[in-house]
Amino acid sequence: MIKISLIGAGSVVFSKQLMVDILSFPEFTDCTFCLEDIDSERLGMIEKVAKMLVSQRNSRAKIEIVKTIKDAVISADFVINMVQVGGFPSTLIDFEIPAEYGLKQTIADTMSVGGMFRALRTMPVLDEICLAIRQYNPEATLLNYTNPMAMLSLYVQKKYPDIHYVGLCHSVQTTSKQLALYLNIPYEELQYKVAGINHQAWFLELKYKGENLYPQLLELKRKIDENSNFVPEHLYAYKGKDSWFRENFKDSAAETFATDKVRFDMLGRLGYYVTESSEHNAEYCPYYLHDPKLVEEFRIPINEYIRRCQINLKEFENIKATIAAGKELHVDTSQEYAGFIIHSMVTGSKQTINGNVLNHGLITNLPQDCCVEVPCLIDRNGIQPTYIGKLPEQLAAYNRTNINVQMLTVSAVLEKDKSHIYQAVMMDPLACSMVSLANMNKMVDALFEAHGDLIPYFK
């Protein structure tokens, strides 16, 4: 039966979710999970969690523990990457050093210097994974969940075009479910078509029973303009208790809507709703974070990802305590794409996901060979991206501002040209709104020094 290898499986919170999703398919009751991590404590913990999850589901799945990427790749049908190189200490560096130069960030994992340096730390691990696949298991499929998704997907697909690869995110699933709640319609009956770039893809179509939902969405925007505290009444009564709700909503559905101000503002200006959250999108543009009054008005949480990391660290400790006490964990299935992809590629059942792939004519008014996020058909033939054509020009123009940074960052490594890193910061919409040109170079130099040997390039 199939073998699924998880690289960076010590990310226990996410690893357990993916294993539960895969085990939910009866065809995989006797699959093998191969777990790899460089942190022996975390690897030991996910081994215990994995065995518990298998037992809970009366599954015959096997658990293998390995300590090298090579051993994880050998004989795997699917390799899932979820590493966070440098962990929480490196994340703090990505926030604290830019802050010294006046740069405010919220998530710092996708764009600006936080996203760039996370990419630079992660690329060496992706090199190791891809070289192992190429040498030992060229038919394996690599599913990447590590951010910055667009930069890393672009890097892998340009440097290793022979690798079967797709980059995965859950922003499309999360936002579509949020929109169904905002508009008070059954999620199962929502129709949508989404394309663009990762974290900045657009709901090009949004329908319910064939009816265009954008007039209703724009009516919500109008009510927000009239009353900044407006929240649809039905959201106060929504009591979602599943793990998806806990992970993707703030304290309540009403609170999530109340803080989703950046996306509604951009909806009014661009005419389309974007896939990733307001706190993410605030740092993909120059319009909000530079002004403390706008930060307050749009309720933008500075340093939000630090808080999330602290929550994840606490959850890891809670899992440790639960396991030590001999208690069981409860994990709901999710909407993550990995399980559906594996099921469709193995069984031939057809599935559509949104994947991150190279733009080989898929979106005609974005640069060729940039990374785009488009609907992909999945079956035994693998991952098949679909043609979109032209985006509305204002959306393509907005995407290009982010693509510039992504392509320069990747080019710096592929061409061994460090100057492209400085130039990428120059082009970054957020950095150029808050940091002087002179300080940009100093900030980049300080980040290289702080991350040290985690970034082996340009030595």
Side-chain angles (χ1 to χ4, degrees), residues 376-433:
C376 299
L377 303 178
I378 314 293
D379 57 21
R380 281 198 177 93
N381 295 311
I383 298 144
Q384 304 148 72
T386 62
Y387 173 81
I388 297 298
K390 287 185 66 173
L391 294 179
E393 190 54 41
Q394 73 275 20
L395 305 185
Y398 200 70
N399 284 159
R400 290 185 206 115
T401 66
N402 283 219
I403 291 170
N404 294 334
V405 178
Q406 296 161 4
M407 296 187 78
L408 277 167
T409 302
V410 172
S411 293
V413 178
L414 295 181
E415 299 172 12
K416 299 180 174 59
D417 187 346
K418 190 177 181 181
S419 67
H420 286 330
I421 299 298
Y422 301 100
Q423 293 157 358
V425 176
M426 285 176 59
M427 305 301 167
D428 179 69
L430 182 64
C432 69
S433 72

Side-chain angles (χ1 to χ4, degrees), residues 204-221:
L204 302 175
E205 296 178 7
L206 189 64
K207 297 179 180 180
Y208 172 55
K209 295 184 177 179
E211 179 185 355
N212 179 17
L213 290 173
Y214 264 107
Q216 293 174 240
L217 202 56
L218 288 166
E219 177 63 13
L220 291 181
K221 170 67 172 71

Side-chain angles (χ1 to χ4, degrees), residues 163-176:
I163 300 292
H164 305 297
Y165 173 94
V166 69
L168 302 176
C169 182
H170 54 228
S171 61
V172 174
Q173 306 97 296
T174 296
T175 298
S176 60

Side-chain angles (χ1 to χ4, degrees), residues 328-401:
E328 291 195 345
L329 297 169
H330 174 74
V331 185
D332 300 313
T333 55
S334 75
Q335 294 176 303
E336 296 292 349
Y337 285 139
F340 297 110
I341 291 172
I342 294 170
H343 184 258
S344 291
M345 288 183 65
V346 170
T347 68
S349 65
K350 297 187 183 300
Q351 182 68 245
T352 302
I353 61 113
N354 272 72
N356 288 271
V357 297
L358 280 188
N359 186 30
H360 289 163
L362 302 171
I363 300 180
T364 55
N365 53 348
L366 292 182
Q368 286 291 303
D369 284 342
C370 74
C371 179
V372 292
E373 189 170 86
V374 297
C376 299
L377 303 178
I378 314 293
D379 57 21
R380 281 198 177 93
N381 295 311
I383 298 144
Q384 304 148 72
T386 62
Y387 173 81
I388 297 298
K390 287 185 66 173
L391 294 179
E393 190 54 41
Q394 73 275 20
L395 305 185
Y398 200 70
N399 284 159
R400 290 185 206 115
T401 66

Side-chain angles (χ1 to χ4, degrees), residues 214-232:
Y214 264 107
Q216 293 174 240
L217 202 56
L218 288 166
E219 177 63 13
L220 291 181
K221 170 67 172 71
R222 184 189 66 79
K223 291 180 178 178
I224 293 170
D225 290 342
E226 291 179 350
N227 176 8
S228 62
N229 295 319
F230 167 76
V231 173

Side-chain angles (χ1 to χ4, degrees), residues 12 22 55-56 76 79 118 128 144-145 162 181 204 242 290 299 316 345 347 376 397 419:
V12 175
I22 293 165
S55 176
Q56 283 176 349
V79 178
R118 179 180 279 239
E128 189 175 354
N144 178 55
Y145 270 106
D162 51 313
L181 285 172
L204 302 175
D242 60 11
H290 71 285
R299 298 181 62 177
F316 176 69
M345 288 183 65
T347 68
C376 299
S419 67

